[in-house]
Amino acid sequence: MTDFDPAKFTSLEPKQFAQLVKSTPDAEIAALMKSDQRGMILDEIFNRMPTLFRADRAGATNTVIHWNISDRADGGVDTYEVVIADGACTVNGSPAQDPKLALTLGPVEFLKVVTGGANPVMMFMTGKLKAKGDLALASKIADLFNIPKA
């Protein structure tokens, strides 16, 4: 692996992380996301989501979103629950509620979406992102967060 050092990830600003994802080959990201570093990377990304949430754009949105990131080394899926309610965003690593929207995508695609390197609507149209439930919410989900761009 080149510059993608998970140990340094927690010290990177969102924009720096976005640049790192953009400059790292997909095959390297895929290999990293099958390693034992995957959980730390996903936890860090989801832990940052509440700070990137744009309450001013959410309006009266109250929803539960499940992010399903596939292609774990054991063939499984990691699921994180994002709850948007009363102008706030919280994240739960152990989903407890039924989602209004469930998004399923691979780890490379996930990292590209959360760093502004991919358009979720185009990914949906090409089958790289699967959405089940509230598709109107899916189409505007990127607007609810201040997504760093490289």
Side-chain angles (χ1 to χ4, degrees):
M1 314 256 158
T2 56
D3 297 329
F4 208 121
D5 181 357
K8 294 179 183 174
F9 172 51
T10 56
S11 66
L12 293 176
E13 292 296 319
K15 190 169 183 127
Q16 292 171 310
F17 180 67
Q19 182 59 46
L20 183 58
V21 170
K22 183 178 181 179
S23 65
T24 303
D26 289 357
E28 241 180 81
I29 293 173
L32 177 66
M33 294 303 283
K34 285 204 183 254
S35 76
D36 58 357
Q37 301 294 321
R38 175 185 170 116
M40 187 271 305
I41 293 168
L42 291 176
D43 286 349
E44 186 65 27
I45 290 168
F46 281 99
N47 287 341
R48 291 179 181 194
M49 274 193 176
T51 63
L52 300 174
F53 178 64
R54 297 284 311 262
D56 58 317
R57 293 184 181 173
T61 300
N62 287 303
T63 194
V64 176
I65 303 163
H66 285 185
W67 287 84
N68 303 302
I69 297 94
S70 63
D71 297 334
R72 216 168 44 196
D74 64 2
V77 173
D78 289 301
T79 301
Y80 289 79
E81 181 175 83
V82 174
V83 178
I84 297 172
D86 303 319
C89 172
T90 57
V91 175
N92 185 353
S94 301
Q97 301 179 52
D98 289 331
K100 282 189 179 178
L101 173 64
L103 301 170
T104 303
L105 63 169
V108 174
E109 292 78 17
F110 171 73
L111 288 178
K112 287 184 177 190
V113 165
V114 299
T115 59
N119 180 323
V121 175
M122 289 303 296
M123 291 178 75
F124 174 74
M125 293 172 63
T126 59
K128 292 180 180 180
L129 180 152
K130 293 177 177 70
K132 181 178 178 186
D134 187 344
L135 297 182
L137 174 62
S139 70
K140 71 173 189 168
I141 195 163
D143 294 337
L144 299 178
F145 295 89
N146 186 19
I147 297 174
K149 293 191 172 52

